[in-house]
Amino acid sequence: MAMKVKEVAELASISVRTLHHYDEIGLLTPDEVTSAGYRLYSDANLETLQQILFFRELDFSLKEIKSIITNPSFNREEALQMHRRILLEKRQRLDQMIATIDRSVLHMRGEIHMTTKEQFEGFDFSKNPYEQEARERWGDEAVEKTNQKLQGKSAQEQKGLSDEMNEIYTRLAALRHTDPASNEAQAGIAEWYAYLNNLGNYSPEAFRGLGQMYVDDERFTRNIDQFGEGLAMFMKDAMAVFADRKS
Protein backbone atom coordinates (compact mmCIF):
# COMPACT_ATOMS: atom_id res chain seq x y z
CA MET A 1 0.00 0.00 0.00
CA ALA A 2 1.39 3.43 -0.96
CA MET A 3 2.37 5.70 1.93
CA LYS A 4 2.31 9.49 2.11
CA VAL A 5 5.45 11.44 2.86
CA LYS A 6 4.43 12.23 6.45
CA GLU A 7 3.74 8.55 7.14
CA VAL A 8 7.12 7.54 5.73
CA ALA A 9 8.85 10.23 7.77
CA GLU A 10 7.25 8.96 10.97
CA LEU A 11 8.00 5.33 10.08
CA ALA A 12 11.69 5.99 9.46
CA SER A 13 12.10 8.62 12.20
CA ILE A 14 13.33 11.24 9.75
CA SER A 15 11.89 14.61 8.75
CA VAL A 16 9.57 15.35 5.85
CA ARG A 17 12.15 17.93 4.75
CA THR A 18 14.76 15.16 4.49
CA LEU A 19 12.50 13.11 2.22
CA HIS A 20 11.83 16.15 0.06
CA HIS A 21 15.58 16.73 -0.22
CA TYR A 22 16.18 13.10 -1.23
CA ASP A 23 13.59 13.54 -3.95
CA GLU A 24 15.09 16.83 -5.15
CA ILE A 25 18.58 15.35 -5.58
CA GLY A 26 17.26 12.19 -7.25
CA LEU A 27 18.29 9.90 -4.41
CA LEU A 28 14.78 8.69 -3.55
CA THR A 29 11.98 9.61 -5.93
CA PRO A 30 8.51 8.34 -4.97
CA ASP A 31 6.93 6.02 -7.51
CA GLU A 32 3.79 8.11 -7.64
CA VAL A 33 2.79 11.75 -7.29
CA THR A 34 -0.92 12.54 -7.19
CA SER A 35 -2.56 15.26 -9.29
CA ALA A 36 -2.64 17.33 -6.11
CA GLY A 37 1.15 16.98 -5.79
CA TYR A 38 1.23 14.47 -2.92
CA ARG A 39 4.18 12.07 -2.94
CA LEU A 40 3.23 8.39 -2.56
CA TYR A 41 5.93 5.89 -1.63
CA SER A 42 5.76 2.25 -2.70
CA ASP A 43 7.23 -0.78 -0.91
CA ALA A 44 10.18 -0.62 -3.31
CA ASN A 45 10.72 3.03 -2.31
CA LEU A 46 10.77 2.01 1.35
CA GLU A 47 13.38 -0.67 0.63
CA THR A 48 15.54 1.95 -1.06
CA LEU A 49 15.08 4.30 1.89
CA GLN A 50 16.20 1.55 4.24
CA GLN A 51 19.39 1.12 2.21
CA ILE A 52 20.00 4.88 2.25
CA LEU A 53 19.66 5.04 6.03
CA PHE A 54 21.98 2.07 6.51
CA PHE A 55 24.61 3.82 4.39
CA ARG A 56 24.07 7.05 6.33
CA GLU A 57 24.63 5.14 9.56
CA LEU A 58 27.99 4.11 8.13
CA ASP A 59 28.91 7.76 7.43
CA PHE A 60 28.53 7.80 3.65
CA SER A 61 27.71 11.11 1.95
CA LEU A 62 24.50 11.37 -0.06
CA LYS A 63 26.53 11.63 -3.28
CA GLU A 64 28.36 8.41 -2.44
CA ILE A 65 25.11 6.63 -1.59
CA LYS A 66 23.49 7.71 -4.84
CA SER A 67 26.50 6.52 -6.83
CA ILE A 68 26.37 3.10 -5.16
CA ILE A 69 22.64 2.32 -5.20
CA THR A 70 22.20 3.46 -8.81
CA ASN A 71 25.08 1.27 -10.00
CA PRO A 72 23.67 -1.49 -12.28
CA SER A 73 25.66 -4.12 -10.35
CA PHE A 74 24.21 -3.08 -6.97
CA ASN A 75 22.67 -6.04 -5.15
CA ARG A 76 20.40 -5.23 -2.21
CA GLU A 77 20.74 -8.57 -0.41
CA GLU A 78 24.51 -8.49 -0.76
CA ALA A 79 24.55 -4.94 0.58
CA LEU A 80 22.43 -5.94 3.59
CA GLN A 81 24.85 -8.74 4.44
CA MET A 82 27.73 -6.28 4.21
CA HIS A 83 25.84 -3.76 6.35
CA ARG A 84 25.28 -6.43 8.99
CA ARG A 85 28.92 -7.48 9.10
CA ILE A 86 30.22 -3.92 9.37
CA LEU A 87 27.64 -2.95 12.00
CA LEU A 88 28.72 -5.94 14.10
CA GLU A 89 32.31 -4.74 13.81
CA LYS A 90 31.19 -1.23 14.72
CA ARG A 91 29.32 -2.57 17.76
CA GLN A 92 32.45 -4.41 18.88
CA ARG A 93 34.50 -1.21 18.55
CA LEU A 94 31.87 0.80 20.47
CA ASP A 95 31.88 -1.82 23.25
CA GLN A 96 35.65 -1.45 23.42
CA MET A 97 35.35 2.35 23.61
CA ILE A 98 32.77 2.08 26.41
CA ALA A 99 35.16 -0.19 28.29
CA THR A 100 37.92 2.39 27.75
CA ILE A 101 35.66 5.10 29.20
CA ASP A 102 34.88 2.98 32.26
CA ARG A 103 38.58 2.26 32.82
CA SER A 104 39.42 5.95 32.29
CA VAL A 105 37.04 6.92 35.11
CA LEU A 106 38.75 4.42 37.42
CA HIS A 107 42.13 5.74 36.27
CA MET A 108 41.10 9.34 37.12
CA ARG A 109 40.04 8.18 40.58
CA GLY A 110 43.41 6.55 41.09
CA GLU A 111 41.89 3.08 41.42
CA ILE A 112 43.76 1.64 38.43
CA HIS A 113 46.61 2.69 36.16
CA MET A 114 46.18 2.97 32.39
CA THR A 115 49.00 3.20 29.87
CA THR A 116 48.75 5.88 27.20
CA LYS A 117 48.04 3.14 24.66
CA GLU A 118 45.17 1.78 26.75
CA GLN A 119 43.62 5.25 26.97
CA PHE A 120 42.96 5.22 23.22
CA GLU A 121 41.80 1.64 22.70
CA GLY A 122 38.79 1.47 20.40
CA PHE A 123 39.49 4.75 18.61
CA ASP A 124 40.12 4.51 14.88
CA PHE A 125 39.21 7.45 12.67
CA SER A 126 41.75 6.62 9.98
CA LYS A 127 39.21 5.14 7.57
CA ASN A 128 35.66 4.02 6.99
CA PRO A 129 36.06 0.20 6.83
CA TYR A 130 32.93 -0.18 4.72
CA GLU A 131 33.81 2.51 2.21
CA GLN A 132 36.74 0.72 0.63
CA GLU A 133 34.76 -2.49 0.26
CA ALA A 134 31.82 -0.66 -1.27
CA ARG A 135 34.05 1.28 -3.66
CA GLU A 136 35.67 -1.94 -4.84
CA ARG A 137 32.31 -3.70 -5.24
CA TRP A 138 30.17 -0.98 -6.79
CA GLY A 139 32.39 2.01 -7.41
CA ASP A 140 35.82 2.73 -8.78
CA GLU A 141 37.63 -0.58 -9.34
CA ALA A 142 39.36 0.90 -12.36
CA VAL A 143 40.64 3.77 -10.23
CA GLU A 144 42.10 1.34 -7.69
CA LYS A 145 43.83 -0.65 -10.42
CA THR A 146 45.30 2.54 -11.85
CA ASN A 147 46.60 3.54 -8.42
CA GLN A 148 48.21 0.13 -8.00
CA LYS A 149 49.95 0.44 -11.35
CA LEU A 150 51.22 3.89 -10.40
CA GLN A 151 52.66 2.56 -7.17
CA GLY A 152 54.69 0.04 -9.15
CA LYS A 153 56.57 2.78 -11.01
CA SER A 154 59.77 4.53 -9.91
CA ALA A 155 59.66 7.93 -8.23
CA GLN A 156 60.94 9.57 -11.41
CA GLU A 157 58.31 7.82 -13.55
CA GLN A 158 55.57 8.81 -11.11
CA LYS A 159 56.71 12.45 -11.21
CA GLY A 160 56.64 12.41 -15.01
CA LEU A 161 53.12 10.99 -15.01
CA SER A 162 52.03 13.48 -12.38
CA ASP A 163 53.39 16.39 -14.42
CA GLU A 164 51.66 15.07 -17.54
CA MET A 165 48.38 14.73 -15.66
CA ASN A 166 48.64 18.30 -14.34
CA GLU A 167 49.31 19.58 -17.86
CA ILE A 168 46.22 17.81 -19.20
CA TYR A 169 44.08 19.18 -16.36
CA THR A 170 45.42 22.68 -17.00
CA ARG A 171 44.59 22.48 -20.71
CA LEU A 172 41.12 21.14 -19.96
CA ALA A 173 40.55 23.86 -17.35
CA ALA A 174 41.18 26.46 -20.06
CA LEU A 175 38.38 24.84 -22.10
CA ARG A 176 35.87 24.33 -19.28
CA HIS A 177 33.60 27.18 -20.39
CA THR A 178 33.29 25.81 -23.93
CA ASP A 179 30.85 23.24 -25.29
CA PRO A 180 31.93 19.77 -24.02
CA ALA A 181 31.03 18.37 -27.45
CA SER A 182 33.22 20.85 -29.37
CA ASN A 183 36.21 19.61 -31.32
CA GLU A 184 38.62 21.36 -28.94
CA ALA A 185 37.00 19.86 -25.85
CA GLN A 186 36.88 16.39 -27.36
CA ALA A 187 40.53 16.62 -28.42
CA GLY A 188 41.45 17.53 -24.87
CA ILE A 189 39.38 14.75 -23.33
CA ALA A 190 40.87 12.27 -25.82
CA GLU A 191 44.25 13.10 -24.29
CA TRP A 192 42.85 12.21 -20.88
CA TYR A 193 41.44 8.93 -22.22
CA ALA A 194 44.82 8.02 -23.73
CA TYR A 195 46.60 8.96 -20.50
CA LEU A 196 44.35 6.73 -18.39
CA ASN A 197 44.66 3.80 -20.77
CA ASN A 198 48.41 4.12 -20.55
CA LEU A 199 47.98 3.27 -16.88
CA GLY A 200 45.01 0.94 -16.92
CA ASN A 201 42.30 -0.43 -19.16
CA TYR A 202 39.32 1.88 -19.51
CA SER A 203 36.50 1.00 -21.89
CA PRO A 204 34.39 3.93 -23.14
CA GLU A 205 31.69 2.97 -20.62
CA ALA A 206 34.19 2.78 -17.76
CA PHE A 207 35.48 6.17 -18.87
CA ARG A 208 31.93 7.55 -18.75
CA GLY A 209 31.44 6.07 -15.27
CA LEU A 210 34.67 7.63 -14.08
CA GLY A 211 33.50 11.02 -15.32
CA GLN A 212 30.25 10.61 -13.40
CA MET A 213 32.26 9.81 -10.30
CA TYR A 214 34.06 13.14 -10.69
CA VAL A 215 30.83 14.92 -9.71
CA ASP A 216 29.28 12.26 -7.46
CA ASP A 217 32.32 11.93 -5.21
CA GLU A 218 33.15 15.16 -3.39
CA ARG A 219 36.81 14.14 -3.09
CA PHE A 220 37.22 13.96 -6.86
CA THR A 221 35.30 17.19 -7.39
CA ARG A 222 37.38 19.06 -4.84
CA ASN A 223 40.71 17.89 -6.26
CA ILE A 224 39.82 18.45 -9.92
CA ASP A 225 38.23 21.85 -9.34
CA GLN A 226 41.52 23.08 -7.90
CA PHE A 227 42.50 23.60 -11.55
CA GLY A 228 39.37 25.67 -12.18
CA GLU A 229 35.90 25.78 -10.67
CA GLY A 230 33.49 23.67 -12.70
CA LEU A 231 36.22 21.55 -14.30
CA ALA A 232 34.89 18.29 -12.82
CA MET A 233 31.43 18.88 -14.29
CA PHE A 234 32.90 19.88 -17.65
CA MET A 235 35.04 16.73 -17.75
CA LYS A 236 32.05 14.56 -16.81
CA ASP A 237 30.03 15.96 -19.71
CA ALA A 238 32.94 15.78 -22.17
CA MET A 239 33.73 12.19 -21.15
CA ALA A 240 30.09 11.20 -21.69
CA VAL A 241 30.16 12.67 -25.21
CA PHE A 242 33.46 10.92 -25.89
CA ALA A 243 32.03 7.58 -24.69
CA ASP A 244 28.94 8.00 -26.89
CA ARG A 245 31.07 8.60 -29.95
CA LYS A 246 33.32 5.66 -29.15
CA SER A 247 30.43 3.26 -28.67
Side-chain angles (χ1 to χ4, degrees):
M1 180 178 176
M3 297 181 67
K4 295 180 179 178
V5 65
K6 186 177 180 180
E7 295 173 320
V8 174
E10 292 176 352
L11 177 69
S13 299
I14 57 178
S15 68
V16 170
R17 182 183 296 242
T18 294
L19 287 170
H20 286 174
H21 180 60
Y22 288 174
D23 187 10
E24 289 166 2
I25 64 175
L27 181 61
L28 178 63
T29 302
D31 281 346
E32 183 181 350
V33 178
T34 68
S35 57
Y38 293 107
R39 295 171 170 87
L40 297 178
Y41 292 81
S42 66
D43 289 342
N45 289 147
L46 296 180
E47 290 176 356
T48 300
L49 177 60
Q50 184 195 53
Q51 284 290 350
I52 292 168
L53 297 181
F54 275 133
F55 277 115
R56 291 296 288 154
E57 176 64 27
L58 295 171
D59 300 323
F60 277 74
S61 71
L62 296 181
K63 284 187 177 181
E64 290 170 328
I65 296 171
K66 183 178 178 181
S67 178
I68 290 171
I69 66 175
T70 57
N71 189 303
S73 64
F74 179 73
N75 181 290
R76 182 170 178 264
E77 182 177 352
E78 181 182 359
L80 287 172
Q81 292 295 339
M82 294 172 70
H83 284 310
R84 184 179 188 279
R85 183 175 70 254
I86 298 301
L87 285 171
L88 286 172
E89 293 174 4
K90 185 176 182 179
R91 182 174 70 183
Q92 183 179 6
R93 184 167 62 86
L94 289 173
D95 287 343
Q96 188 175 22
M97 291 177 69
I98 291 170
T100 297
I101 290 172
D102 292 340
R103 287 172 56 79
S104 295
V105 171
L106 296 177
H107 173 73
M108 289 176 62
R109 293 174 179 171
E111 298 178 26
I112 64 170
H113 173 72
M114 291 182 75
T115 66
T116 53
K117 181 179 180 181
E118 289 173 334
Q119 291 176 32
F120 294 93
E121 287 181 348
F123 293 97
D124 183 6
F125 301 107
S126 61
K127 62 180 181 178
N128 177 342
Y130 187 87
E131 179 181 353
Q132 183 61 31
E133 187 172 359
R135 288 175 70 217
E136 291 174 353
R137 176 63 185 87
W138 295 300
D140 51 355
E141 291 181 4
V143 175
E144 297 300 330
K145 290 176 182 177
T146 297
N147 288 340
Q148 290 170 10
K149 191 168 183 178
L150 272 172
Q151 291 168 6
K153 293 184 178 296
S154 68
Q156 185 175 358
E157 288 174 324
Q158 287 190 33
K159 184 180 184 306
L161 288 167
S162 178
D163 290 343
E164 182 182 355
M165 178 185 70
N166 289 338
E167 290 171 4
I168 294 173
Y169 274 139
T170 300
R171 287 195 290 272
L172 287 170
L175 298 169
R176 71 185 187 279
H177 298 304
T178 64
D179 182 353
S182 69
N183 291 337
E184 287 182 324
Q186 285 302 298
I189 217 67
E191 281 190 89
W192 184 232
Y193 184 72
Y195 174 87
L196 290 175
N197 276 288
N198 184 42
L199 295 173
N201 183 21
Y202 284 79
S203 67
E205 281 308 306
F207 190 57
R208 183 204 306 276
L210 180 63
Q212 185 65 46
M213 195 178 300
Y214 288 170
V215 295
D216 287 341
D217 190 318
E218 295 171 356
R219 294 163 299 183
F220 277 103
T221 306
R222 186 166 52 248
N223 289 333
I224 293 172
D225 279 3
Q226 289 178 6
F227 290 85
E229 186 176 354
L231 177 58
M233 180 63 71
F234 169 79
M235 289 183 68
K236 187 269 288 186
D237 292 339
M239 290 162 77
V241 172
F242 183 89
D244 286 340
R245 292 179 180 178
K246 278 279 188 179
S247 299

